[in-house]
Amino acid sequence: MPELTVELQLNTLPGSPGVYQFFDKDGKMLYVGKAKNLKKRVTSYFTKTHENGKTRVMVKKIRNIKHIVVPTESDALLLENNLIKKYQPRYNVLLKDDKSYPWICIKNERFPRIFPTRKLIKDGSEYFGPYT
């Protein structure tokens, strides 16, 4: 199946809430973002002049766009957060550090403590979240 052009992908985006992913020519994920309206948000990357040089460079590299439609904006926020943590896209600098949304931690101890945290430590503890 031939790859769709970015222009065709933009034309077929829905006006629903969701998460979008930008990929380069090698299929490497560049960026994950959330939107109240996928069509408006993603199209804005290609119709506006970006003052931020990093954004301009990223837009030039985009060769494929994937999207996931979700029921609400809140769901989009959580999905975006989880995808960024999982894939660590190069252009997502703000949410890579696990400090964005709170999690519930159950410590791996003889008498487990339960508490909210914004920092995930890989010490065998269980984490639930993130929560908005």
Side-chain angles (χ1 to χ4, degrees):
M1 187 165 99
E3 266 194 48
L4 298 173
T5 64
V6 170
E7 189 176 316
L8 187 57
Q9 291 176 54
L10 291 173
N11 291 334
T12 58
L13 284 169
S16 311
V19 171
Y20 55 92
Q21 301 165 309
F22 294 149
F23 295 87
D24 67 9
K25 64 179 171 51
D26 300 321
K28 186 172 180 180
M29 189 181 297
L30 297 170
Y31 185 77
V32 174
K34 67 182 175 323
K36 203 181 329 187
N37 180 321
L38 283 165
K39 188 170 195 71
K40 283 184 183 177
R41 179 68 186 116
V42 176
T43 303
S44 75
Y45 280 97
F46 299 92
T47 56
K48 288 198 307 191
T49 304
H50 300 285
E51 292 181 23
N52 185 333
K54 201 172 190 182
T55 304
R56 275 197 308 272
V57 170
M58 179 190 73
V59 171
K60 286 179 186 176
K61 291 181 178 182
I62 298 169
R63 293 295 175 269
N64 190 17
I65 302 167
K66 291 184 181 175
H67 69 278
I68 302 167
V69 175
V70 294
T72 66
E73 251 186 288
S74 202
D75 291 329
L77 185 71
L78 292 173
L79 179 57
E80 176 199 33
N81 187 56
N82 287 329
L83 290 172
I84 291 170
K85 301 292 187 283
K86 184 174 181 178
Y87 296 110
Q88 300 277 305
R90 176 179 179 167
Y91 290 93
N92 286 99
V93 291
L94 294 178
L95 294 177
K96 280 186 184 178
D97 59 7
D98 294 324
K99 292 180 183 166
S100 52
Y101 303 110
W103 296 71
I104 299 209
C105 175
I106 301 176
K107 281 305 241 183
N108 185 19
E109 300 169 336
R110 185 168 175 212
F111 297 103
R113 294 176 290 144
I114 301 171
F115 57 91
T117 182
R118 291 181 184 267
K119 190 171 186 179
L120 278 75
I121 302 168
K122 296 182 181 179
D123 62 356
S125 299
E126 285 192 62
Y127 290 88
F128 299 90
Y131 296 99
T132 52

